[in-house]
Amino acid sequence: MKLSYSWLKDYLKCDLTPAQVAEAMTSIGIEVDGVEESEEIPGGLAGVVVAEVLTCEAHPDSDHLHITTVNTGSGEPVTVVCGAPNVAAGQKVLLAQIGTVLPGDFKIKKSKIRGVESFGMICAEDELGIGTSHDGIMVLPADAVPGTPAKEFLHLKTEAVIEYEITANRVDAASHWGVARDLYAWCKVNGVAAELQFPVDSSAAPQNDSNGTLSGNSVILSGSEGSLPVEVQAPDGAPRYCGITIRGIKVGPSPEWLQKRLMSIGSHPINNIVDISNYILFELGQPLHTFDAGKIRGGRVIVRRAAEGEPIVTLDGIERKLHANDLVIADTVGPMCIAGVFGGEDSGVTEATTDVFIESAYFDPASVRKTSKSHGLQTDASFRFERGADPFMQPSALRRAVQLILECAGGTVCGAALDICAEAPARKRIDLDYNRIRAFIGKDISNAEIETILEALNYEFESRSADGAVVLAPSYMVDVYRECDVVEEVLRIYGYNNIDLPARMKMSVAPTPDPDPEALRNHISNFLAANGFTEIMNNSLTRKEYYSRLKTFPAEACAEIVNPLSQDLNVMRQSLLPGALEVVAYNFNRQAGYVKTFEYGNVYRKLEGRDATKLEAYEEHGCFCLTLAGTPEKSWKAAPAKSDYFQLKGYVELLLRRYGADLYQMWCEPAPADIFSDGVCYKVPGKGMQLVCMGIVNPALCKSFGIKQQVVAAEISWPALLELVARNKVAFRELPKFPEVRRDLALLLDEKVSYADLRAAAFKQAKKLLKQVGLFDVYRGDKIPAGKKQYALSFVIRDEEKTLTDQDTERLMDRLLQMFRNDFGAELR
């Protein structure tokens, strides 16, 4: 969100600088991201000064140029060649000195014009960006002082814009008035002179109409002559609905001040009527909607629930089918807009509009949120309504709208304002115990300080006592219900930084589990980072569409969100892989040639046959996900190798070996084909728990994310890894005393024989002496018969009790070779 400093100062009269305002906002719980200052004219006309023309003579080599001598207010006069017809001696002008950059990125340089050196430029209005005239140079009043900066002489303003974030419970701070109100309380507590001025003049407001009648569950307000009647058929969705009719307006561009205000916070001006609605939204935090009264069929405004499947074309030109629980503002024919969410195309204000009906309402937050999420529509209005607008602000916002429309668009107010309120909104009544508040805060704050803060925040005191009070919470504080909520308000205004830390702190130390999951996660993360992986963090919420094409993680097993933030975040993730592929695609689309990432996070799954409304119907556990894609940067030492399966497998093996696990001792099976086109899954011995699934990601799955290159990935189950680590018993073993012997065998084998089978058989045959088996070459080619392959195996042999002789080694190798021949049909090459 953005806050204009000059706009804020209309309501909060104080001497705080933009930086001080930002610091104060952060201290009271409105987190500021940054302060950006912008000039009214880009560059602020730095380098342009008031100057006096001392002499002016015709240029000898030109019929229109003049040679002038100019006093800049400092140093010696300078020579400037000027082509303006109205330049004359004795004038006060604006001079752009050498090095000045004028609007349009035009830099002033020392130049020679028709043989005469010129040290600047005397400027016209359009050249400075303060007007459109180019008839001649600007001639200033005679009392202008040479040397005065143009910014100071022209009273150019520097606009500071503060960008900030609010938490979900602080929608009251989503406006300039809301922030001003909080800052005023801060100023009162911190001894800063400040005055708070509400922008609406209630004395000029039209009076509320009292012609309301109750008919069944509907509230009908007929209005006065010329005004449109209103019928609220769904008071549960619109507890308060205010409106007024203005006729004879003229739609056109907004005045300059209004356009500048909106543009300063990033809102694009449209026309005076729409801009006024947006202005009040950012000023008071109350969304308004303006209808073209001439397009309201039947001359009646009806607030009702939509019929199931009822169509409406919204302002973006899209026809939407409404749900039965959607609240709409309708006429006698059909819906005109989705209440509190989005306007309709057919009832909007255009240049031809002359009569308008202005709506200022309080809509039920839950109703707006459901409608907004079901249609995937997020607007400035729905953002505020679904978090809880101030139910007392509607009449004031309507008065403000009337004031500005009459000022900017003319027109005549027809009748009085309509205010339909089925039940008057009640403020929350809270009992306060000052001693308990001090105990909560941890500091001895006086009763007077507590009351000063609460009064500045618009709390109303019903009664006071020596040790407490009964207060009515402000209507704009939607999350204040209990005493502890009031404590939070007192503390944030008083200042968290003003609470002293105690000299001693007490805490209980819980026993550390073995293995410690947090320490283990950190060790694994550090290991991966040290091996060149970059840690990523994705949202646990993701798109259900990702799982619609997967059998391993079917869409039916997704834990769905009842009220999703958007259709892109409507389920909990079943796997970390889709998020990792999003990251790969994002980086490849930005010319990153190599992606090497890891992530730790929880995954969620709905169990088959369970009641989805019960917590036990869902399974949740942690995972590590590793991904490799692309080719590393070139190196002078060696040509870079593309990411492949065996590279990733090496990292996984190395990681598991740190915790005493060996992939070759685990039962394995092919990886699911919808996820991996080529891969394998390993399980924890004796438990059947899947430990890791890794392989080449299915190209079809990659393509769905817009990835054309090969991606290899691995998902490691956290519970299975913890089980593996818990089994690992670290014991001391002294270094070997006797040397090891290395031997190689080149074997011709059938294609169906795997290295894992050969390795396991070798250790079974010579488990006492054999220490290590490795595969260092695989060959298939013309010299090898069809259906055959050559494996080159290395063996490391050592006896723990003596030095092996050549005869010992040869006997062992003969036994291994004979076993390979008998069990696998191997031939020695």
Side-chain angles (χ1 to χ4, degrees):
M1 289 188 173
K2 292 186 176 181
L3 181 86
S4 165
Y5 173 74
S6 61
W7 192 348
L8 177 75
K9 292 292 288 288
D10 285 353
Y11 320 127
L12 183 67
K13 311 295 183 183
C14 67
D15 293 330
L16 295 176
T17 65
Q20 290 171 325
V21 167
E23 185 179 353
M25 287 172 64
T26 299
S27 73
I28 59 178
I30 307 172
E31 185 177 356
V32 171
D33 293 332
V35 180
E36 181 181 338
E37 293 194 355
S38 59
E39 304 285 352
E40 188 174 343
I41 295 175
L45 298 183
V48 181
V49 297
V50 175
E52 181 181 7
V53 180
L54 301 177
T55 64
C56 179
E57 300 174 357
H59 196 294
D61 294 332
S62 173
D63 59 357
H64 69 281
L65 296 176
H66 299 83
I67 302 173
T68 64
T69 306
V70 179
N71 171 26
T72 62
S74 62
E76 295 295 324
V78 297
T79 301
V80 177
V81 178
C82 179
N86 63 330
V87 64
Q91 290 176 338
K92 301 291 179 64
V93 295
L94 288 175
L95 175 72
Q97 303 176 95
I98 292 175
T100 300
V101 179
L102 295 176
D105 203 27
F106 178 62
K107 187 173 183 179
I108 304 300
K109 301 177 182 178
K110 177 183 175 182
S111 60
K112 184 175 285 189
I113 304 175
R114 301 280 180 95
V116 179
E117 288 189 328
S118 179
F119 296 87
M121 184 175 81
I122 302 175
C123 300
E125 283 184 5
D126 63 335
E127 292 165 336
L128 295 172
I130 58 176
T132 58
S133 173
H134 196 69
D135 295 337
I137 60 170
M138 284 184 65
V139 179
L140 308 181
D143 59 355
V145 179
T148 304
K151 180 178 179 180
E152 180 182 330
F153 179 82
L154 296 172
H155 304 292
L156 298 180
K157 295 180 180 178
T158 299
E159 178 64 272
V161 176
I162 301 170
E163 192 159 351
Y164 68 100
E165 301 288 341
I166 60 171
T167 52
N169 64 324
R170 290 302 314 278
V171 71
D172 59 286
S175 67
H176 286 72
W177 170 248
V179 174
R181 184 171 48 203
D182 264 15
L183 286 173
Y184 173 71
W186 181 89
C187 290
K188 291 271 287 184
V189 171
N190 289 276
V192 177
E195 179 185 347
L196 190 64
Q197 184 175 328
F198 191 58
V200 183
D201 181 7
S202 59
S203 63
Q207 297 300 309
N208 288 345
D209 200 313
S210 58
N211 296 331
T213 60
L214 187 64
S215 175
N217 292 326
S218 301
V219 181
I220 304 172
L221 210 55
S222 60
S224 304
E225 184 177 353
S227 66
L228 294 174
V230 176
E231 178 181 354
V232 179
Q233 295 179 0
D236 59 325
R240 188 169 195 175
Y241 192 90
C242 301
I244 198 165
T245 307
I246 303 179
R247 299 188 183 275
I249 65 160
K250 181 173 177 55
V251 178
S254 297
E256 185 179 2
W257 69 265
L258 180 53
Q259 293 190 41
K260 285 184 175 180
R261 282 272 167 99
L262 293 176
M263 286 190 293
S264 70
I265 58 171
S267 180
H268 181 66
I270 299 173
N271 60 53
N272 49 4
I273 303 301
V274 175
D275 291 350
I276 286 168
S277 295
N278 290 334
Y279 180 85
I280 293 170
L281 173 74
F282 296 118
E283 179 184 52
L284 300 177
Q286 172 62 41
L288 301 179
H289 193 80
T290 306
F291 299 90
D292 185 331
K295 297 177 182 177
I296 299 177
R297 296 157 296 188
R300 175 183 289 268
V301 176
I302 304 170
V303 184
R304 61 172 174 83
R305 297 288 179 183
E308 186 64 39
E310 188 173 15
I312 181 175
V313 179
T314 46
L315 285 171
D316 55 4
I318 298 174
E319 181 176 284
R320 304 177 190 275
K321 300 296 183 181
L322 299 171
H323 307 302
N325 60 347
D326 293 338
L327 189 71
V328 297
I329 312 301
D331 54 21
T332 56
V333 177
M336 299 186 293
C337 80
I338 305 175
V341 179
F342 211 25
E345 187 177 55
D346 296 334
S347 61
V349 174
T350 66
E351 291 182 358
T353 299
T354 57
D355 305 329
V356 294
F357 176 79
I358 309 166
E359 164 195 283
S360 178
Y362 172 77
F363 295 118
D364 176 59
S367 175
V368 172
R369 178 174 174 79
K370 287 178 182 177
T371 298
S372 172
K373 303 314 173 194
S374 66
H375 292 287
L377 291 170
Q378 179 73 57
T379 61
D380 287 326
S382 68
F383 177 86
R384 288 159 176 80
F385 278 130
E386 66 188 37
R387 285 163 175 76
D390 182 354
F392 285 80
M393 184 59 76
Q394 291 72 42
S396 296
L398 197 61
R399 287 195 290 269
R400 182 64 161 158
V402 170
Q403 173 194 342
L404 292 175
I405 288 176
L406 296 181
E407 176 185 327
C408 301
T412 304
V413 177
C414 295
L418 310 177
D419 188 352
I420 306 174
C421 191
E423 183 179 349
R427 295 171 65 179
K428 286 154 281 194
R429 187 175 182 274
I430 304 169
D431 291 325
L432 301 180
D433 183 320
Y434 291 157
N435 291 325
R436 194 158 51 234
I437 289 176
R438 283 187 277 268
F440 269 128
I441 292 175
K443 188 168 183 178
D444 189 14
I445 302 176
S446 68
N447 294 1
E449 286 180 291
I450 294 172
E451 292 176 359
T452 297
I453 292 172
L454 295 180
E455 287 170 348
L457 290 173
N458 293 339
Y459 281 81
E460 182 180 329
F461 283 79
E462 270 195 350
S463 62
R464 304 175 195 250
S465 66
D467 297 322
V470 177
V471 297
L472 297 177
S475 57
Y476 65 82
M477 288 189 175
V478 296
D479 67 327
V480 174
Y481 294 92
R482 303 166 297 168
E483 183 183 57
C484 57
D485 300 325
V486 178
V487 173
E488 183 183 351
E489 296 301 310
V490 171
L491 184 52
R492 70 181 183 84
I493 299 298
Y494 183 78
Y496 290 97
N497 292 338
N498 294 325
I499 305 301
D500 301 323
L501 288 174
R504 300 173 64 185
M505 296 182 68
K506 297 179 180 179
M507 60 180 293
S508 58
V509 180
T512 303
D514 186 23
D516 182 355
E518 188 66 30
L520 182 59
R521 273 197 299 269
N522 288 335
H523 289 157
I524 294 173
S525 298
N526 290 339
F527 166 81
L528 293 171
N531 279 278
F533 285 83
T534 300
E535 185 170 10
I536 60 175
M537 294 179 67
N538 286 304
N539 200 329
S540 296
L541 300 175
T542 187
R543 300 170 64 180
K544 187 176 183 179
E545 182 187 347
Y546 288 159
Y547 301 98
S548 61
R549 59 180 76 95
L550 300 178
K551 294 180 181 179
T552 306
F553 304 110
E556 306 81 56
C558 288
E560 298 192 37
I561 306 302
V562 177
N563 293 315
L565 294 170
S566 72
Q567 293 307 305
D568 289 340
L569 301 170
N570 54 0
V571 298
M572 305 293 283
R573 62 189 177 192
Q574 292 189 59
S575 166
L576 299 183
L577 187 57
L581 292 177
E582 283 183 340
V583 173
V584 171
Y586 182 90
N587 282 273
F588 279 172
N589 290 339
R590 284 154 183 80
Q591 310 307 313
Y594 186 53
V595 180
K596 189 176 182 181
T597 66
F598 79 93
E599 178 181 14
Y600 175 82
N602 283 0
V603 293
Y604 311 83
R605 187 182 181 92
K606 184 172 69 176
L607 301 176
E608 190 176 354
R610 303 286 183 91
D611 183 356
T613 62
K614 304 294 184 182
L615 189 61
E616 54 268 21
Y618 300 93
E619 176 192 34
E620 173 185 355
H621 68 269
C623 270
F624 270 99
C625 182
L626 284 61
T627 52
L628 288 176
T631 306
E633 292 290 331
K634 293 181 179 179
S635 169
W636 63 270
K637 294 189 295 182
K642 287 186 178 180
S643 303
D644 63 18
Y645 166 76
F646 293 102
Q647 186 181 2
L648 180 66
K649 184 185 177 187
Y651 287 120
V652 174
E653 280 191 60
L654 192 59
L655 172 63
L656 295 179
R657 199 175 298 151
R658 291 171 64 92
Y659 303 105
D662 186 351
L663 285 180
Y664 296 104
Q665 296 178 4
M666 298 182 189
W667 186 78
C668 63
E669 62 183 7
D674 57 331
I675 304 294
F676 299 105
S677 59
D678 190 8
V680 64
C681 293
Y682 292 93
K683 297 191 174 183
V684 177
K687 285 280 189 177
M689 300 170 63
Q690 184 168 289
L691 172 64
V692 58
C693 228
M694 57 184 169
I696 300 170
V697 180
N698 193 311
L701 183 57
C702 290
K703 187 178 179 181
S704 68
F705 286 86
I707 302 171
K708 298 178 181 179
Q709 300 188 46
Q710 176 178 285
V711 179
V712 291
E715 266 201 347
I716 303 173
S717 170
W718 180 246
L721 185 59
L722 272 179
E723 169 68 24
L724 209 60
V725 174
R727 293 182 184 184
N728 183 34
K729 304 301 180 184
V730 179
F732 168 77
R733 186 173 63 188
E734 63 179 329
L735 291 172
K737 297 178 181 179
F738 303 99
E740 61 187 23
V741 178
R742 295 176 181 270
R743 291 288 187 272
D744 299 336
L745 287 178
L747 302 175
L748 185 65
L749 301 157
D750 290 337
E751 279 285 359
K752 63 181 181 181
V753 177
S754 70
Y755 164 67
D757 293 337
L758 295 173
R759 184 179 185 276
F763 275 109
K764 184 177 180 181
Q765 178 70 26
K767 58 184 176 181
K768 182 179 179 182
L769 299 180
L770 187 60
K771 303 303 178 185
Q772 187 176 328
V773 178
L775 174 66
F776 63 88
D777 186 47
V778 179
Y779 177 72
R780 296 177 178 89
D782 297 338
K783 298 179 181 179
I784 301 294
K788 296 285 186 176
K789 61 185 175 181
Q790 176 184 293
Y791 272 0
L793 302 175
S794 64
F795 302 88
V796 176
I797 309 165
R798 186 178 66 244
D799 194 325
E800 302 294 342
E801 299 176 354
K802 66 177 183 177
T803 300
L804 289 171
T805 64
D806 290 342
Q807 292 82 0
D808 295 333
T809 304
E810 292 305 323
R811 278 197 298 271
L812 177 61
M813 294 305 298
D814 288 342
R815 290 206 324 264
L816 288 173
L817 180 58
Q818 190 61 40
M819 180 268 298
F820 288 143
R821 286 171 173 165
N822 295 337
D823 294 354
F824 300 100
E827 297 179 27
L828 182 65
R829 294 275 294 175

